[in-house]
Amino acid sequence: MAFGKLSDEGGGQPQSEINMIPLIDVMLVLLIVFMITAPLLSNAVKVDLPQASSSPEEIKNDDIKLAMKAGGELFWNREAISREELEIRLINAAKLQPVPELHLHADRNLDYGKIADIMALSSRSGVSKIAFVSEPTGDQP
C-alpha cells in the first residue's frame, strides 16, 4: 500500500492505488444497519383495510338485521328485544341451514365495547358470519 509523503523526494508521481480502508468501513457500517433493520421489515402486520366506496350487496330475506341504538336498545329485524332474547334467537338461528348472516346496524355514537360484546355473543351462539352495515358516502362514482 502506498502512502503519501510530505517531502518532495521521489518525484511527483501520482498515487496509483486506491485507499480501500474508508470503503471497507462504509461497507461494514451498511452491513450492520441492514442486519438490524431486515428482521423488522419482515414482521409487518398485515391488515385487510376496508375500501371507502363499495357497491351495495343484495340482502337475502333470511339474513338477520340487528340494529343497536346509542342507548343500548336492540332491534331484531325492526322488533325491539332484550339481550336475553337476543341470545336465545341467535342460538335458534345458528341451528338453521344455511346459517344466516348477522347484519349489524350500529349507531355512530355507540360504545365499541357493546358492539364487541354482541359480536362475541353471536360467535359463541354459532352465528359466525357478521357484516357491518353503514350508510354510503355521497362521493361514490
Side-chain angles (χ1 to χ4, degrees):
M1 212 169 2
F3 293 101
K5 299 179 184 176
L6 294 177
S7 65
D8 281 338
E9 297 175 11
Q13 293 288 338
Q15 185 178 0
S16 63
E17 295 181 19
I18 297 175
N19 192 358
M20 296 295 292
I21 304 277
L23 295 175
I24 293 171
D25 290 343
V26 169
M27 182 213 43
L28 289 175
V29 168
L30 288 174
L31 178 67
I32 291 171
V33 166
F34 287 126
M35 285 173 54
I36 292 172
T37 59
L40 299 176
L41 296 176
S42 64
N43 291 335
V45 177
K46 293 181 180 165
V47 178
D48 187 18
L49 297 175
Q51 299 296 320
S53 61
S54 63
S55 61
E57 185 177 328
E58 293 284 327
I59 297 176
K60 296 177 267 186
N61 289 335
D62 59 343
D63 288 340
I64 303 164
K65 296 171 200 73
L66 182 66
M68 303 170 66
K69 287 196 172 184
E73 299 91 4
L74 298 171
F75 296 90
W76 179 284
N77 292 337
R78 297 188 175 138
E79 176 188 346
I81 61 169
S82 66
R83 189 180 184 322
E84 293 78 21
E85 179 69 20
L86 173 66
E87 187 172 0
I88 294 168
R89 288 189 183 194
L90 284 173
I91 291 171
N92 291 336
K95 295 176 184 174
L96 298 174
Q97 288 300 325
V99 178
E101 283 187 18
L102 177 65
H103 293 189
L104 284 178
H105 299 256
D107 192 279
R108 179 187 309 256
N109 300 320
L110 184 65
D111 181 30
Y112 183 73
K114 293 179 182 177
I115 297 173
D117 183 45
I118 296 299
M119 288 172 54
L121 175 66
S122 68
S123 179
R124 281 192 310 266
S125 300
V127 180
S128 58
K129 290 185 179 181
I130 301 174
F132 290 99
V133 180
S134 62
E135 292 294 323
T137 57
D139 57 352
Q140 288 187 357

